[in-house]
Amino acid sequence: MDVDLSQLRALASGQFGAMKITTPIEDFRADVSLTHVGDIHLFDMRTPPHTVDRNASFIKPTDPATYKLSLQIEGNSSLTQYDREALLEPGMLAIYNSHIPYVLNYPAPQRSLIMQFPAEYVQVSPSAMKRITALPITKDDRLGKVAIPLFEQLAINFEVLEGPHAGSLLRSAIDMLIAVFSEELSSDGPPSSEVVERAAEYIDARLSDPDLGPTIVAEALFISVRHLHSQFSEAGQSVGNYIKRARLERIRRDLANPNNADLSVKEIGERYGIMTAAHLSRVFKTEYGETPREFRKRILGA
């Protein structure tokens, strides 16, 4: 169905609980499909840029205890929960807890599938689920190779969820997702501090590579992408967020250096793997509250 912003707000809040939805788009239109099988709900949406904020003021003790799964189909998004940020590209998914504040940011037109299911379906301890939430799952992971194509098929074949076995299919998919994810999180490997330290050292030395990401880092450390993500999670951060902030910190340092006054903002960004001025301006302002040019002018007075 085609909906405007007020209709999307009503649909999303009715489906997932009270939340704030904002957008920079004046004529906001979204294409939304809804279905449910028992108490499992699916929400397929194509939208312009917008942000979803379910902060603590919206969460009531009487709200149903549920988890949500977000599968990115087209475009990009970021999911923030427990001070972790999962950057989702097409073919990636993440799980999050509806009783814990979260923010979903969709910076450009996108399509995603949201699945909501009761917390009682998850046979994993709350502490283990806290480690699992807001971690990106990719097709490079052992889990992702199986789980992501399944959820992608659900997104494009809603009609298969109308048969008598639909509930069992969805429950099996959720069980597989949680079980294999938990198994990989508990797999043996170097202590978290050692993995994070080695990964940070590798990342810091290669920020100029625009393709630098979790897969490249994991391969260099001879560990799985899943283990890399889990170790960063235990340290209270995400791989993608570490790379982004490391780049921005160095760009900010170079912008404040008078010796770099002859270099353009774009040239400084390229030093650290951010290849377009528009993208740099956007992420820099999100992180620091001002654009690179505004920061440089304020610091250098020119």
Side-chain angles (χ1 to χ4, degrees):
M1 70 183 82
D2 179 66
V3 299
D4 61 20
L5 182 59
S6 62
Q7 291 170 322
L8 180 67
R9 286 170 172 158
L11 283 171
S13 295
Q15 184 74 53
F16 303 127
M19 60 183 66
K20 180 181 180 181
I21 300 179
T22 57
T23 179
I25 305 300
E26 292 187 8
D27 186 21
F28 183 98
R29 308 297 304 185
D31 184 18
V32 175
S33 297
L34 299 169
T35 192
H36 70 92
V37 178
D39 46 13
I40 301 174
H41 298 262
L42 294 101
F43 192 85
D44 184 1
M45 61 178 187
R46 298 176 186 268
T47 71
H50 70 286
T51 298
V52 177
D53 183 0
R54 180 164 163 81
N55 60 51
S57 67
F58 292 120
I59 300 172
K60 299 178 174 57
T62 55
D63 288 344
T66 62
Y67 285 101
K68 295 168 68 177
L69 176 151
S70 181
L71 169 68
Q72 200 64 38
I73 302 173
E74 300 171 5
N76 301 283
S77 67
S78 65
L79 162 66
T80 304
Q81 187 169 75
Y82 290 121
D83 294 322
R84 293 195 294 267
E85 182 182 29
L87 304 177
L88 303 181
E89 299 176 352
M92 299 173 67
L93 60 81
I95 298 172
Y96 49 112
N97 187 338
S98 66
H99 259 226
I100 303 297
Y102 64 82
V103 175
L104 279 163
N105 181 45
Y106 303 97
Q110 62 88 41
R111 181 187 177 193
S112 54
L113 173 71
I114 309 295
M115 177 190 291
Q116 179 175 263
F117 52 91
E120 64 193 51
Y121 284 10
V122 177
Q123 303 303 309
V124 174
S125 70
S127 61
M129 282 303 296
K130 183 176 179 179
R131 295 173 60 203
I132 290 171
T133 55
L135 287 180
I137 303 171
T138 76
K139 290 180 180 178
D140 294 322
D141 302 317
R142 180 165 63 90
L143 166 63
K145 290 177 182 177
V146 178
I148 290 175
L150 172 59
F151 286 105
E152 286 177 332
Q153 286 302 308
L154 292 177
I156 62 177
N157 293 291
F158 264 21
E159 65 275 7
V160 306
L161 301 177
E162 298 177 356
H165 303 296
S168 297
L169 171 64
L170 289 177
R171 286 289 297 272
S172 296
I174 293 169
D175 289 345
M176 177 193 67
L177 185 72
I178 302 299
V180 182
F181 206 159
S182 300
E183 176 187 334
E184 296 209 3
L185 282 173
S186 63
S187 63
D188 292 334
S192 174
S193 58
E194 180 184 338
V195 171
V196 172
E197 183 177 338
R198 288 164 50 203
E201 182 179 348
Y202 181 87
I203 289 167
D204 291 346
R206 293 164 177 81
L207 292 174
S208 61
D209 180 0
D211 296 322
L212 182 66
T215 300
I216 290 175
V217 176
E219 288 176 351
L221 271 56
F222 302 102
I223 59 176
S224 71
V225 177
R226 171 57 44 220
H227 189 63
L228 178 68
H229 282 308
S230 70
Q231 299 303 282
F232 265 76
S233 174
E234 288 185 4
Q237 57 187 318
S238 72
V239 184
N241 208 37
Y242 180 88
I243 293 173
K244 180 186 74 173
R245 287 182 173 172
R247 282 176 164 148
L248 290 177
E249 286 171 6
R250 284 157 181 78
I251 290 170
R252 193 167 184 253
R253 178 197 64 193
D254 284 9
L255 287 170
N257 187 341
N259 293 329
N260 294 320
D262 291 337
L263 294 176
S264 68
V265 169
K266 184 175 186 295
E267 287 171 325
I268 291 176
E270 289 173 348
R271 281 182 171 182
Y272 302 104
I274 299 182
M275 308 308 290
T276 67
H279 176 63
L280 172 56
S281 181
R282 182 169 60 252
V283 296
F284 192 97
K285 186 171 184 178
T286 299
E287 187 73 15
Y288 300 118
E290 58 187 340
T291 67
R293 287 184 173 83
E294 290 168 343
F295 170 76
R296 175 184 252 182
K297 183 177 181 179
R298 178 170 61 83
I299 298 299
L300 299 182

